Amino acid sequence: MLDGVSLVPLLEGKMEERRKPIGFLLRSGRGGSLEDTDFVSATQAVWIDGPLKLIVSPSGGDDHGVNVALYDIFSDPAEKTNLTAQRPEEVQRMRKALDAWRKSVRDDYLR
């Protein structure tokens, strides 16, 4: 899926904020081919939606758990205060959107 938002206005100083969330993926270096990678469970991912930044990382353990962090990057640019406990509804909403996006990225890659 293409993002569909030109960043030219941002670079020209004509865009003050992005109105659409944006995601980023980082595949773990555990080997294997990209085709065999589960983009949801085997990638670190970031979802930025307005002032909120959600980071989801595989725990690296055998339990296949994940580490989740939520930050308000406008009021806490150093990302010192993890808001997951205070804002569980936002975490759930953003995780759902992030997981759907990761699946769409994988589906597009495999086409």
Side-chain angles (χ1 to χ4, degrees):
M1 175 169 72
L2 296 176
D3 182 52
V5 176
S6 172
L7 295 179
V8 172
L10 176 67
L11 298 173
E12 294 175 341
K14 297 176 183 173
M15 183 168 94
E16 294 183 18
E17 68 180 51
R18 181 181 169 89
R19 290 186 168 89
K20 182 177 177 183
I22 189 169
F24 300 91
L25 287 175
L26 176 64
R27 187 173 78 114
S28 123
R30 295 185 185 181
S33 70
L34 195 56
E35 290 82 9
D36 296 330
T37 299
D38 180 340
F39 280 35
V40 174
S41 67
T43 59
Q44 178 178 14
V46 174
W47 190 249
I48 299 174
D49 188 353
L52 298 177
K53 177 180 180 181
L54 181 73
I55 303 170
V56 179
S57 305
S59 67
D62 293 334
D63 63 354
H64 302 290
V66 295
N67 298 314
V68 178
L70 179 70
Y71 300 102
D72 183 323
I73 56 176
F74 292 178
S75 65
D76 180 20
E79 298 178 2
K80 292 185 179 192
T81 304
N82 186 344
L83 301 171
T84 55
Q86 294 94 332
R87 298 177 77 174
E89 297 85 13
E90 292 288 345
V91 171
Q92 183 178 16
R93 176 187 67 78
M94 292 177 73
R95 284 227 26 211
K96 183 177 178 180
L98 173 62
D99 288 348
W101 176 77
R102 290 198 280 185
K103 288 175 185 173
S104 76
V105 169
R106 185 171 197 284
D107 291 347
D108 285 348
Y109 176 77
L110 295 176
R111 283 187 195 167

